[in-house]
Amino acid sequence: MAFGSDRRNRPASRCAVLFGGTGFVGGFFARYLVDNGHFEKVYLVDRQPVTALSNAWRQAQLTHHPGLSVVVADVREPIDWMPPEPVTLVANFVALPAGYDRDTQAQYDTNLRGAEQVCAWATRARCRRMIFLSSASPYGLASQGGAEDALPMPVTPCGASKLVAEYIHRLWQAEQPSRRLVIARPARVFGPGGTDDISWLVRAVVQGYFCYPGNRQVTLSGLYVRELCAALWWALERPARVGDDVILFNASLASASTLADYVEAIQGAAGRRRRVATLPGHLLVAMATLAELAARPFGTAPAFGSACLRRLAVATENHPAWLIAQGYPFQYSLASAFVDWRALCPEEWEG
C-alpha cells in the first residue's frame, strides 16, 4: 500500500540514503519516497536489520521492496560503504528508543557521534541536501506554547544532545552555501507499528481499560507519521528563497489537541464509544507500577504502562508556526489520522 498521495510530475532522483532507516520514522519516510516516485532507490543504513524489528507489520513494509535496500552499519563509527548511484539526499533519523531519555552516555554517544559521522559521510558522497530529525526536547523549559523562535533550554540528555547535533548539521551546511538542510522538531510521532505512548493509548482505549490519569484536558502535541513524511519533503522541495539554506520547523498538528481529543478520535476511528473514567494520576501510576513488578518474574508485561501514563499526564505544546506561516497543506486532522492508521494496520485496533 502506498504511503502517500503526493505524486508529482517530476523525474525520480538517483538515490537517497537514510541513516536510522529501519527505525519508525525512517521506515515510513523510505516508503514515502519510493511510493511517490521521488526516488527509484532508497538505502536504509541502520545497525538493526529489518529481521530484528519486533513489529511484524513494520517488517512487512520494508521487506522485498525493489526500491529499498538495507545496509547494516553502526552510525557512531566511520562508514566505508558508498552506494553505486550518486546520492542526492541524506537523512539522519538516528534516535534511541523510548526508555533512554535520561541515559546521558547513550544519548550523547548516539546523537553527537551519529551526527558527526552522517555529516562526514554526506560530504564524502558530495550530497547537497540533508534532513535531520531532531526533537522537541531541546526546548525543555521553553516547550509550553513555544514556536520555533523560543529559546532552547534543554533539561534532559536527549534534549541537550539533540540541540548540539542540530548545530553539527548546521556546520555541515555552512561549509558550502549550495547545501540545503531541513531540521524538524517533532513532539511525539504516532502511527502504525509505533511503540510510543499513543500506540499504548490506542490499545488501552480500544480494549476498554484506559482511565484518564487526572486532567483529561492536558495538551498533547503530536503528529501522524505520514504527515511528518509529507511535511519533511514539502519543506525540502520548497523553491529556494533567501534564508532557506537552513529550515527549522516544529512538527505537530495544526491545532492543539488534548488527551480527551485523542481518546475521542480513537473511539471514533474504532467505532466504539465508551465512557472513560477519571482517576487520580498518582493512583493509576502506582497501580501500573505494582502490576509491572508483579509481572516481572514471569517475563510478561501488564496492560497498564506506568511510563506511558506519566507521559500522557504531562502537557506538551509544540506550535508549528513555520509550517502554518508558509502555507503548508496539512493532510490529516487528529480524527482522520487515526482513521488512516486503522485502515493501514487494522490488527492494532482489535479489541
Side-chain angles (χ1 to χ4, degrees), residues 22-194:
T22 66
F24 178 56
V25 177
F28 265 92
F29 194 62
R31 285 296 304 265
Y32 176 87
L33 293 178
V34 294
D35 289 345
N36 286 286
H38 299 314
F39 288 88
E40 295 177 348
K41 192 71 174 182
V42 176
Y43 293 93
L44 287 64
V45 182
D46 205 303
R47 64 176 180 172
Q48 177 177 238
V50 174
T51 53
L53 295 177
S54 59
N55 186 277
W57 186 87
R58 284 176 55 197
Q59 276 194 29
Q61 306 313 306
L62 301 180
T63 303
H64 307 309
H65 192 291
L68 304 180
S69 293
V70 176
V71 178
V72 179
D74 191 335
V75 75
R76 297 170 299 180
E77 304 293 337
I79 300 171
D80 296 329
W81 169 84
M82 192 66 66
E85 306 92 344
V87 180
T88 55
L89 173 63
V90 169
N92 182 359
F93 295 118
V94 176
L96 287 171
Y100 287 86
D101 292 352
R102 296 189 177 274
D103 189 327
T104 302
Q105 179 65 40
Q107 289 290 346
Y108 278 86
D109 194 37
T110 299
N111 293 331
L112 269 61
R113 291 184 186 277
E116 291 172 345
Q117 296 302 332
V118 168
C119 289
W121 190 92
T123 298
R124 294 196 301 273
R126 298 181 180 180
C127 180
R128 294 188 296 175
R129 302 201 304 171
M130 188 183 299
I131 291 172
F132 175 51
L133 188 68
S134 182
S135 165
S137 57
Y139 289 119
L141 297 175
S143 63
Q144 299 308 306
E148 291 86 356
D149 59 354
L151 178 66
M153 293 185 285
V155 295
T156 64
C158 177
S161 60
K162 283 289 189 182
L163 183 60
V164 177
E166 289 182 11
Y167 281 95
I168 293 174
H169 288 81
R170 286 177 179 270
L171 288 173
W172 168 85
Q173 188 282 325
E175 290 175 354
Q176 293 185 18
S178 60
R179 291 173 176 172
R180 194 170 202 183
L181 171 65
V182 172
I183 301 173
R185 288 177 175 171
R188 52 169 53 81
V189 183
F190 58 88

Side-chain angles (χ1 to χ4, degrees), residues 126-350:
R126 298 181 180 180
C127 180
R128 294 188 296 175
R129 302 201 304 171
M130 188 183 299
I131 291 172
F132 175 51
L133 188 68
S134 182
S135 165
S137 57
Y139 289 119
L141 297 175
S143 63
Q144 299 308 306
E148 291 86 356
D149 59 354
L151 178 66
M153 293 185 285
V155 295
T156 64
C158 177
S161 60
K162 283 289 189 182
L163 183 60
V164 177
E166 289 182 11
Y167 281 95
I168 293 174
H169 288 81
R170 286 177 179 270
L171 288 173
W172 168 85
Q173 188 282 325
E175 290 175 354
Q176 293 185 18
S178 60
R179 291 173 176 172
R180 194 170 202 183
L181 171 65
V182 172
I183 301 173
R185 288 177 175 171
R188 52 169 53 81
V189 183
F190 58 88
T195 58
D196 63 332
D197 48 350
I198 303 302
S199 293
W200 176 86
L201 180 63
V202 167
R203 293 193 300 272
V205 171
V206 171
Q207 296 177 18
Y209 59 80
F210 177 73
C211 294
Y212 287 109
N215 182 12
R216 66 176 63 196
Q217 297 303 319
V218 61
T219 301
L220 300 178
S221 293
L223 191 67
Y224 187 42
V225 64
R226 294 181 73 180
E227 186 81 81
L228 175 59
C229 293
L232 288 171
W233 184 254
W234 184 86
L236 185 71
E237 288 287 281
R238 290 180 74 243
R241 301 174 185 175
V242 176
D244 274 359
D245 295 337
V246 178
I247 294 173
L248 169 68
F249 70 89
N250 288 344
S252 58
L253 289 163
S255 58
S257 302
T258 66
L259 178 56
D261 293 331
Y262 277 83
V263 172
E264 181 179 350
I266 293 169
Q267 289 182 334
R272 302 176 185 180
R273 298 287 182 180
R274 296 190 180 103
R275 183 177 178 181
V276 180
T278 302
L279 295 176
H282 65 274
L283 176 61
L284 281 175
V285 171
M287 293 169 57
T289 301
L290 289 174
E292 289 166 348
L293 291 174
R296 187 174 299 170
F298 304 98
T300 59
F304 271 48
S306 60
C308 291
L309 283 169
R310 288 191 184 95
R311 288 194 291 269
L312 291 173
V314 177
T316 54
E317 297 184 25
N318 184 22
H319 182 55
W322 185 87
L323 288 176
I324 293 173
Q326 300 302 320
Y328 170 71
F330 284 88
Q331 300 178 11
Y332 297 93
S333 64
L334 187 64
S336 65
F338 286 115
V339 170
D340 189 73
W341 180 346
R342 187 185 182 190
L344 280 178
C345 189
E347 56 267 33
E348 293 187 346
W349 291 72
E350 296 175 356

